Amino acid sequence: MKFLIVVLLGAVLAEGLVRVPLTKHKSMREALREKGVEMPYQDPAMKYVADEFAGSGSEYINNYADSTYYGAISIGTPPQSFQVLFDTGSSNLWVDSALCNTQACSVHTKFYPQQSSTYSHNGKTVYIPYGAGSLYGVFGYDTVSVAGIVVPHQEIGLSTSEPTQPFASAKFDGILGLAYPRISSGGETPVFDNMMSDHLLQADVFAFYLSRGGAQGSELTLGGVDNRRYQGSIYWTPVTSESYWQIGIQAFQINGRSTGVCSQGCQSIVDTGTSTLTAPGQYIGEIMQSIGAQRSQNGQYMVDCSSVNNLPTLSFVISGVALPLPPSAYIDQNYQNGRQYCSVNIGPTYLPSQNGQPLWIFGDVFLRQYYSAYDRTNNRVGFAVAA
């Protein structure tokens, strides 16, 4: 059971960057498993289905629900504080509000618009779908502060109805999306876009460092990159669709050898809001066979814990650079009732990318191994070995 708790405020660095600290808690799946409840597998790519089918700064962020990273923001005047999930796989900002009376809202901090002198209501309603749930809300405007960067007149979603699962079990009070405006539900302008248009950033770049092995120190950096958080060079690759942070994959390798997977190219969405590494469904059997994993009764792929050090290294060739993922990155080792078990933290998705190529999702399994940077000026994503 791994815990990471960071209790720090966003700090301004000498080079003008502000850090947002993150915290790692026991995963939602692990907590429920201890109680004898097994969460059914849900395709993370369902969050990408279109609606019709369903200054600079750094901030420390907390981690919950299979490595869900969240941190503090404030809304309103005087400021009301909330913990939000920082999600590169969505674009809306919303928080629990006093307009919502469902169980999921009642267990979280709510925004009270009548207590803010800078709040204004615009009368629009919104439906926001995610892979594991959706919510209804209304739009309003207010001042939003993230790691000391103040965005006036930011459009925000105030929830009016949320399902119990997954939101009641989450540690966060809302979600702050960091993807492109194109996928914003209801046409809401994302927070980062307003930071750019108001010239509040040193550079139109943000970056994530996600700690591993229960270590402290995960952070979101706004306005640039933090060179203390990675080793060597950042390798950049262009965004292939300005909607999600979607990039191309040239090849997939196992122990350095190319496979038939992605022989004609694949796509990947880089998503801090997804906990796993997700592979195209048509290849999942082949990949698990190469790893030597067996599927259990609950649908999880398991390996013998004594063989973990001998499992293959998986590599992704991106813009000519091979990025390896060792077994220590994609195997979860946990204990239940005094017994150790080892599961493969790779799941399937059965949705194609927007250009029809097989789709991967680089979730937190991948992003703990690699520092990731998101450049809106040049529409590119960068990866470097995490420090």
Side-chain angles (χ1 to χ4, degrees):
M1 317 311 174
K2 301 174 182 177
F3 294 82
L4 165 63
I5 300 177
V6 180
V7 186
L8 292 171
L9 297 176
V12 180
L13 306 182
E15 63 271 30
L17 301 178
V18 182
R19 294 173 295 172
V20 182
L22 313 180
T23 302
K24 187 177 190 301
H25 291 267
K26 183 186 302 183
S27 78
M28 182 187 299
R29 192 176 297 274
E30 289 173 354
L32 291 175
R33 185 180 289 125
E34 289 178 354
K35 298 177 182 179
V37 177
E38 193 65 46
M39 291 177 65
Y41 180 79
Q42 294 170 310
D43 188 340
M46 289 304 295
K47 74 186 284 187
Y48 312 125
V49 176
D51 288 1
E52 59 267 30
F53 297 104
S56 346
S58 295
E59 177 159 325
Y60 293 89
I61 332 173
N62 306 312
N63 178 352
Y64 183 77
D66 291 343
S67 302
T68 298
Y69 293 86
Y70 64 95
I73 68 169
S74 67
I75 302 173
T77 307
Q80 301 176 42
S81 183
F82 304 91
Q83 297 289 332
V84 297
L85 183 159
F86 292 99
D87 182 19
T88 60
S90 67
S91 298
N92 288 83
L93 167 62
W94 66 268
V95 292
D96 293 296
S97 81
L99 305 175
C100 179
N101 294 313
T102 63
Q103 180 185 355
C105 291
S106 64
V107 297
H108 291 111
T109 300
K110 295 182 180 183
F111 176 67
Y112 289 84
Q114 70 275 18
Q115 295 180 9
S116 173
S117 62
T118 47
Y119 174 80
S120 61
H121 178 61
N122 68 10
K124 293 195 302 182
T125 60
V126 63
Y127 166 75
I128 306 177
Y130 294 99
S134 57
L135 61 93
Y136 292 88
V138 296
F139 278 137
Y141 296 97
D142 212 332
T143 300
V144 173
S145 178
V146 184
I149 300 175
V150 178
V151 183
H153 204 62
Q154 169 66 45
E155 192 169 19
I156 57 175
L158 308 182
S159 68
T160 56
S161 178
E162 297 175 28
T164 300
Q165 293 300 335
F167 296 114
S169 302
K171 290 293 185 181
F172 51 84
D173 309 310
I175 295 177
L176 193 155
L178 290 163
Y180 285 83
R182 178 176 162 188
I183 62 167
S184 177
S185 296
E188 176 187 347
T189 302
V191 173
F192 196 76
D193 283 76
N194 280 328
M195 288 181 178
M196 293 192 299
S197 62
D198 290 347
H199 307 291
L200 300 176
L201 302 166
Q202 188 175 42
D204 294 338
V205 176
F206 62 89
F208 277 92
Y209 170 77
L210 307 183
S211 59
R212 295 167 286 178
Q216 298 183 358
S218 299
E219 71 179 31
L220 162 65
T221 300
L222 300 169
V225 299
D226 186 345
N227 57 20
R228 303 172 310 155
R229 296 302 189 181
Y230 63 90
Q231 305 171 25
S233 300
I234 296 179
Y235 297 100
W236 295 96
T237 190
V239 168
T240 57
S241 173
E242 293 176 20
S243 50
Y244 303 96
W245 289 97
Q246 183 173 311
I247 60 174
I249 299 173
Q250 295 170 305
F252 173 72
Q253 301 174 340
I254 297 178
N255 278 340
R257 296 183 178 181
S258 293
T259 67
V261 178
C262 300
S263 59
Q264 302 299 314
C266 287
Q267 297 285 301
S268 180
I269 292 173
V270 186
D271 186 1
T272 58
T274 293
S275 60
T276 62
L277 173 68
T278 302
Q282 64 265 44
Y283 297 136
I284 197 71
E286 177 182 343
I287 293 169
M288 293 302 165
Q289 185 176 11
S290 299
I291 293 173
Q294 301 292 324
R295 194 169 187 176
S296 65
Q297 290 183 344
N298 62 22
Q300 280 190 302
Y301 286 95
M302 312 296 291
V303 296
D304 185 339
C305 290
S306 65
S307 70
V308 169
N309 292 335
N310 299 319
L311 296 181
T313 294
L314 312 179
S315 298
F316 300 89
V317 180
I318 299 171
S319 290
V321 177
L323 302 178
L325 200 64
S328 58
Y330 65 81
I331 297 295
D332 270 347
Q333 301 187 49
N334 293 296
Y335 290 86
Q336 182 179 5
N337 299 324
R339 179 182 176 184
Q340 186 183 30
Y341 64 92
C342 295
S343 58
V344 183
N345 208 349
I346 302 175
T349 181
Y350 295 94
L351 291 175
S353 68
Q354 292 183 359
N355 66 2
Q357 288 184 315
L359 179 68
W360 292 75
I361 303 172
F362 286 174
D364 299 334
V365 167
F366 183 88
L367 298 175
R368 278 190 291 272
Q369 193 72 17
Y370 292 98
Y371 185 82
S372 59
Y374 308 79
D375 181 353
R376 283 291 298 274
T377 298
N378 299 293
N379 293 312
R380 59 182 183 168
V381 179
F383 299 110
V385 175

